[in-house]
Each structure stands twice: as C-alpha cells, then as structure tokens.
Amino acid sequence: MPNQPKTPVRGFRIDDALYVAAQEKAKAEGRTLTDVVREALTLFVGVPKV
C-alpha cells in the first residue's frame, strides 16, 4: 500500500490449506492477503475501517 506508514510485521500460525486458499482468492480479487486479514480483523473487533 503506497503512501501508508509502515506497520510492525506480525506472525501467527495458520493451516497450509487455509493459507493457500486465502492467498489464491485474494489474488483473484486483486488484493493482498494482508488486506484481507486487516479487513477481517477490523470486522471482528468492530472498529471503523482504517
């Protein structure tokens, strides 16, 4: 994401099959997996989109 401040790199464990499926779907939608995870976590915690 151009023009956005850098954020810390985070890590978590995820099943390979889920990771690959999510990565493929994100790519098909022209998004990054980071974008998908950020959106999902935003919805999960109920905060406005950043």
Side-chain angles (χ1 to χ4, degrees):
M1 288 190 169
N3 301 323
Q4 287 200 355
K6 290 207 175 232
T7 56
V9 175
R10 311 290 184 188
F12 58 93
R13 296 178 188 271
I14 186 170
D15 180 77
D16 287 341
L18 178 57
Y19 178 79
V20 170
Q23 199 169 36
E24 289 174 353
K25 183 169 182 177
K27 185 176 180 179
E29 294 179 0
R31 303 167 69 191
T32 66
L33 195 48
T34 296
D35 293 336
V36 172
V37 171
R38 185 181 295 117
E39 180 181 337
L41 289 173
T42 299
L43 292 170
F44 179 70
V45 298
V47 297
K49 277 191 173 181
V50 178

